[in-house]
Amino acid sequence: MDIGTRIKELRTNNNYKSGEFANLLGISSVFLSYIENGTKKPSYDTLEKICAVLNITLSDFFNEGTEPIALTPELKELLENAKELTPEQLVKLAEFIKTLK
């Protein structure tokens, strides 16, 4: 997998211009260009920031060939809260969510 190409693909799929995306990441647009063109490699921290801005996981990033599912802030909050539930509570939550459909 070409990491730079993947970043550019995800950036453009999410309608970010390179300068805007670079600003959100806290890097220069020149450095972003180097990353996307394969001249430089992003650090792990930069890659984590890229995933955070795109609302995807690192797993989604490396899962080439499928479009990652962007989680809204509300879904992220729901998942974070669900992590603390017991298995029985998770079953009840799933049943409750089904009634809302």
Side-chain angles (χ1 to χ4, degrees):
M1 162 191 276
D2 183 338
I3 291 175
T5 301
R6 180 75 170 146
I7 292 169
K8 186 173 184 175
E9 170 192 352
L10 293 170
R11 174 180 62 78
T12 57
N13 287 349
N14 283 275
N15 299 316
Y16 284 114
K17 294 186 183 332
S18 60
E20 172 190 17
F21 195 61
N23 285 337
L24 291 170
L25 298 174
I27 63 175
S28 72
S29 55
V30 171
F31 187 61
L32 177 61
S33 176
Y34 287 154
I35 291 172
E36 290 183 345
N37 292 320
T39 306
K40 301 273 185 182
K41 298 288 183 203
S43 67
Y44 180 79
D45 289 340
T46 300
L47 196 53
E48 278 191 321
K49 287 179 188 176
I50 288 167
C51 291
V53 169
L54 296 172
N55 288 319
I56 62 172
T57 64
L58 280 170
S59 177
D60 291 330
F61 180 87
F62 288 105
N63 191 8
E64 197 172 18
T66 60
E67 185 61 30
I69 299 170
L71 295 179
T72 64
E74 295 83 7
L75 284 175
K76 282 185 176 182
E77 181 180 8
L78 179 62
L79 287 172
E80 286 301 314
N81 289 323
K83 287 179 183 177
E84 299 173 13
L85 299 177
T86 66
E88 295 82 20
Q89 290 172 321
L90 285 172
V91 168
K92 289 182 181 185
L93 177 61
E95 290 170 0
F96 173 74
I97 290 172
K98 287 178 187 176
T99 66
L100 296 175
K101 288 185 183 178

